[in-house]
């Protein structure tokens, strides 16, 4: 089990590299990965089941002890990123399928990787976990509603069908994970450290499926999508940080909100795009999966290093 834990930690630390490698292979050898496409919802369901296994009542204590902070985080999550996506799609006159894909990324809840990045940034990890958990539980209602409101300008949207999809691939697996944890607590505690490996394998497979199915369109529009995804993500970090500042949150909370807003559950975006729109609409989510882990790591390292330097200065002065 310890060997598996080490592999899991290594996979989590090198996640962005694996996504890049497999995305490259899927682009140049699409026939080797295109078969994964039909399994995208199942793969995401497994990842969400893992999230359910890691959740506990302690994760929701922050909701009750600091409800204002959690509310600000969730509101920022579901306002800033969708509106940014819509504005970028309109201003840059994106093709319909790409516009919908970008809005899909914006309308998704925060990803669990944001919790890791917040921890590394020396931010308020408890707040980050609470915002991720609440935004994820609200996603069956808010994600389809936002897509209907903002994306129907480009393509037809069935909010009802999307609601059912999100319930199936997000809510049901999380609830099952919680039930399994309650029934088999000791066994789950022993195996939970292997979950990062499962998540990495799942996201890498989803990215490979999306890239292999859209090779030709990526070759045509790849630069535009890359530019939009990077801009969307960086603006999310910036506006998330200033949202925390606006409401006079402390610096640790500001960092948590910034990272929480900027990092999305792009796996969900890819699954919904594939199921309800087209493989091309899933490409922004696939690229976001790679980029936000790179940018999040850089931002977390910068903030974490800054705190360490400040602590050293205080120690010297003392």
């Amino acid at each position: 089990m310890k060997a598996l834990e080490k592999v899991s930690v290594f996979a989590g630390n090198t996640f962005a590299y694996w996504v890049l490698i497999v995305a490259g292979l899927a682009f140049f050898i699409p026939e080797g990965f295109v078969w994964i496409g039909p399994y995208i919802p199942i793969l995401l369901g497994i990842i969400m089941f893992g999230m359910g296994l890691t959740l506990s009542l302690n994760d929701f204590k922050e909701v009750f002890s600091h409800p204002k902070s959690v509310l600000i985080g969730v509101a920022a999550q579901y306002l800033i990123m969708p509106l940014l996506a819509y504005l970028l799609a309109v201003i840059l006159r994106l093709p319909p399928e790409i516009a919908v894909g970008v809005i899909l990324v914006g309308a998704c809840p925060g990803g669990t990787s944001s919790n890791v990045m917040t921890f590394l940034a020396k931010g308020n990890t408890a707040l980050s976990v609470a915002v991720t958990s609440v935004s994820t539980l609200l996603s069956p209602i808010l994600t389809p509603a936002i897509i209907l409101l903002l994306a129907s300008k480009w393509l037809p949207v069935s909010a009802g069908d999307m609601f059912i999809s999100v319930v199936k691939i997000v809510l049901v697996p999380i609830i099952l994970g919680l039930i399994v944890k309650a029934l088999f607590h000791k066994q789950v505690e022993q195996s939970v450290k292997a979950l990062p490996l499962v998540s990495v394998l799942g996201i890498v497979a989803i990215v490979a499926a999306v890239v292999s199915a859209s090779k030709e369109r990526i070759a045509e529009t790849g630069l535009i999508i890359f530019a939009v995804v990077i801009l969307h993500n960086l603006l999310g970090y910036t506006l998330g940080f200033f949202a925390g500042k606006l409401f006079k949150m402390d610096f640790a909370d500001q960092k948590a909100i910034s990272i929480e807003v900027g990092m999305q559950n792009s796996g969900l975006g890819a699954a919904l795009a594939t199921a309800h729109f087209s493989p091309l609409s899933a490409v922004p989510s696939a690229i976001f999966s790679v980029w936000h882990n790179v940018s999040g790591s850089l931002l977390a390292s910068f903030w974490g290093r800054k705190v360490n330097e400040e602590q050293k200065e205080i120690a010297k002065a003392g």
Side-chain angles (χ1 to χ4, degrees):
M1 182 57 77
K2 283 194 175 181
L4 186 60
E5 285 176 20
K6 286 180 181 178
V7 172
S8 187
V9 170
F10 175 75
N13 291 338
T14 56
F15 172 69
Y17 300 111
W18 294 114
V19 175
L20 281 170
I21 291 166
V22 174
L25 289 171
F27 184 81
F28 291 107
I29 319 168
E31 60 276 7
F33 300 90
V34 74
W35 61 272
I36 302 171
Y39 302 101
I40 288 176
I42 296 170
L43 290 166
L44 186 61
I46 292 169
I47 294 168
M48 291 295 100
F49 175 76
M51 181 181 177
L53 291 177
T54 62
L55 287 177
S56 67
L57 289 175
N58 286 333
D59 296 328
F60 293 94
K61 279 184 179 177
E62 191 73 13
V63 179
F64 301 106
S65 56
H66 299 95
K68 182 184 171 184
S69 298
V70 176
L71 179 61
I72 291 168
V74 174
Q77 176 75 57
Y78 280 117
L79 286 173
I80 291 172
M81 289 302 270
L83 290 175
L84 275 176
Y86 179 81
L87 289 173
L88 288 170
V90 171
I91 292 168
L92 300 175
R93 297 181 181 179
L94 298 178
E97 290 170 306
I98 297 173
V100 169
V102 174
I103 291 169
L104 253 173
V105 173
C108 286
T112 51
S113 52
S114 62
N115 309 147
V116 178
M117 299 306 171
T118 301
F119 173 76
L120 295 174
K122 304 290 198 301
N124 187 339
T125 308
L127 174 60
S128 176
V129 171
V131 172
T132 297
S133 303
V134 173
S135 66
T136 300
L137 294 175
L138 291 174
S139 63
I141 295 169
L142 293 182
T143 297
I146 291 167
I147 299 300
L148 179 64
L149 182 66
L150 300 181
S152 54
K153 168 180 175 162
W154 286 277
L155 293 174
V157 176
S158 173
D161 290 346
M162 203 170 288
F163 167 79
I164 292 167
S165 291
V166 181
V167 168
K168 283 180 180 177
I169 61 181
V170 175
L171 206 56
V172 170
I174 286 175
I175 291 169
L176 286 174
L178 288 167
I179 292 169
V180 169
K181 184 176 182 179
L183 294 174
F184 306 100
H185 184 73
K186 285 185 180 178
Q187 292 88 334
V188 168
E189 286 296 312
Q190 289 172 353
S191 60
V192 79
K193 289 180 182 177
L195 287 177
L197 177 60
V198 175
S199 296
V200 168
L201 290 173
I203 292 293
V204 165
I206 290 169
V207 170
V210 170
V211 171
S212 63
S214 306
K215 176 188 174 178
E216 292 178 7
R217 298 300 297 276
I218 291 172
E220 293 172 15
T221 58
L223 285 175
I224 297 170
I225 301 174
F226 264 105
V228 171
V229 164
I230 291 170
L231 196 56
H232 191 197
N233 171 245
L234 296 181
L235 286 171
Y237 289 140
T238 304
L239 294 180
F241 182 80
F242 282 108
K245 206 173 184 67
L246 179 67
F247 288 97
K248 296 181 169 56
M249 301 172 88
D250 64 34
F251 190 46
D253 288 1
Q254 289 170 22
K255 288 188 283 188
I257 299 299
S258 171
I259 293 170
E260 198 62 35
V261 171
M263 300 187 74
Q264 303 292 90
N265 185 342
S266 45
L268 176 59
L272 293 177
T274 305
H276 298 280
F277 299 105
S278 73
L280 182 60
S281 293
V283 173
S285 293
I287 293 173
F288 206 98
S289 288
V290 182
W291 171 252
H292 80 163
N293 280 285
V294 173
S295 64
S297 297
L298 291 172
L299 183 60
S301 296
F302 169 74
W303 271 333
R305 193 165 57 248
K306 199 173 176 184
V307 170
N308 289 336
E309 287 171 0
E310 287 171 358
Q311 288 173 345
K312 284 179 183 176
E313 288 296 320
I314 292 168
K316 281 181 184 177

